[in-house]
Amino acid sequence: CGTGLVAFSLSNVTNEVIGMDNSAGMVEQFNKKALELNFSNIKAIKHNIENEDLPQNEFDLITINMSLHHIKDTNMFIKKAYNALTTNGYFLKQVARKLKDAGLKRINISLDTLKPEVASIIAQKNVLAEVLGGIEEAKKCGLKIKLNCVPLKGINDLEIVDLIEFAKQNGFVIKFIEFMENNFAKISTKGLNSEEMLEIISKKYNFVQQPRGSSSPAQYYKLDDGYEFGIIEPHKDDFCSTCNRIRLT
């Protein structure tokens, strides 16, 4: 995404709103208004983190996080509120500590492969070392980490088990997401559906499907050792009735 926008989501038990703007003041104004309506959770989604001219607009992003942390401290936030960042992690190593100090608590990181050559195919750039370095730094800083992976046929589908092992060893949650066809992807790009993912995973592990959370888009499965991984199936609508997310762009 080349927009350089920051998206924020806010949610309570029944509602979540995601707003996007590249102005720290506008985002803060939006969030204050949402918090007045008793929204309790907040998440930032930073696009264009790979922008080399201005690494993830780090000062704006940190300023926004500090502002939101201040809002929580002045009791405009419900005590259980948290904020989070979703990123591809390319510049995360340089700013993880600053984000943690600014009040960030949780981070979702896209990790589709553990092989540099595969990462270069997916991202069209040699990015894996930077992403893994960012993950390690975020872990050192004490950020709670979740990994997202989109398995693609003939590209990274044989790494599903390896990615689960990587997540397990580091204490991360991992979610696999079905690929959604779009006009910007190559026609030849094909993703795995949940049944195909589970078939691959079953060759290594025994697992049991878990009850779905009231508003979670992910279906979780528990391995014999207690570790849980998730699968998000956007082509199904079985979680639409309990979805609590609205995106404003």
Side-chain angles (χ1 to χ4, degrees), residues 1 13 34 53 88 98 114 127 231 241:
C1 176
V13 175
D53 296 325
N88 63 25
K98 294 178 181 179
L114 296 172
V127 299
I231 295 180
S241 62

Side-chain angles (χ1 to χ4, degrees), residues 86-100:
T86 296
T87 174
N88 63 25
Y90 188 73
F91 281 103
L92 182 59
K93 184 175 181 179
Q94 293 97 305
V95 298
R97 172 55 62 185
K98 294 178 181 179
L99 291 171
K100 172 68 174 178

